[in-house]
Amino acid sequence: MSSTATEVVRLLTVNGETLAVAESLTGGLVAAEITSVPGASKVFRGSVTAYATELKHELLGVDATLLAQRGAVDPQVAAQMAAGVREALGADWGVATTGVAGPDPQDGQAVGTVFVAVDGPCERGAGSASGGKVEHLRLNGDRAEIRMESVRSVLALLLGELAGEQTGNELAQDTERNGGF
């Protein structure tokens, strides 16, 4: 259990929000990391491991033409996976991972090419709009290292979005609760 996963679960709990996960190259590792945190059942709706390309379309609603033209390792595919799992599982937030962990290239993409995505509520009160965000990663290492770094990266991306959701007053209250000023 990572401190990032713990903080994600804490912020989701504080905000009264839920999370769903769509995974390809990570094969369930993101869901495992989240559910290793005590209290995750309050916020975690579930996950879809759509390893096969056609399942990205069938289960997550990723555009079939996009998949046929660009393959599964693509920023738009990651974004649609995150939005699709969020909708399919009825969650406030959706995250997704897609990429090439190796040992061989896939869909014309080199080993270590990864896209992670977050999709969240579009409007969150005064002056806040989240929606979706995709990050392109170029990772080094063996298959296990690429997969674990993908997990870390998608959770960090989600944490950044969740932390940005809090207003100044909520941040001040949180700081006080944690012994700050």
Side-chain angles (χ1 to χ4, degrees):
M1 156 181 52
S2 72
S3 60
T4 303
T6 300
E7 186 64 7
V8 161
V9 169
R10 188 190 71 76
L11 284 175
L12 287 168
T13 302
V14 165
N15 294 337
E17 295 176 324
T18 57
L19 173 65
V21 174
E23 299 186 67
S24 187
L25 86 148
T26 49
L29 294 173
V30 177
E33 190 68 18
I34 291 292
T35 58
S36 72
V37 178
S41 61
K42 295 176 192 162
V43 299
F44 187 67
R45 297 278 299 153
S47 65
V48 174
T49 301
Y51 212 66
T53 299
E54 69 272 11
L55 293 180
K56 291 169 180 62
H57 170 68
E58 294 168 9
L59 299 176
L60 300 171
V62 176
D63 183 83
T65 303
L66 174 67
L67 288 166
Q69 291 176 347
R70 297 197 193 158
V73 184
D74 181 81
Q76 285 183 282
V77 170
Q80 288 183 21
M81 287 173 65
V85 78
R86 181 177 168 226
E87 183 178 329
L89 300 186
D92 298 299
W93 292 91
V95 299
T97 63
T98 188
V100 186
D104 300 314
Q106 176 188 336
D107 296 333
Q109 299 286 353
V111 172
T113 303
V114 176
F115 295 95
V116 296
V118 173
D119 190 76
C122 290
E123 298 212 10
R124 306 275 314 158
S128 179
S130 185
K133 190 171 194 177
V134 178
E135 193 172 282
H136 179 195
L137 309 172
R138 293 271 187 199
L139 304 176
N140 295 312
D142 64 20
R143 183 174 173 80
E145 291 167 327
I146 289 168
R147 294 173 77 216
M148 289 312 298
E149 184 58 25
S150 299
V151 172
R152 190 205 63 74
S153 295
V154 77
L155 291 176
L157 184 61
L158 175 59
L159 182 57
E161 293 297 298
L162 290 171
E165 292 284 303
Q166 292 189 320
T167 66
N169 186 45
E170 289 168 323
L171 286 172
Q173 289 173 358
D174 185 55
T175 301
E176 288 174 19
R177 277 195 300 272
N178 288 307
F181 297 98

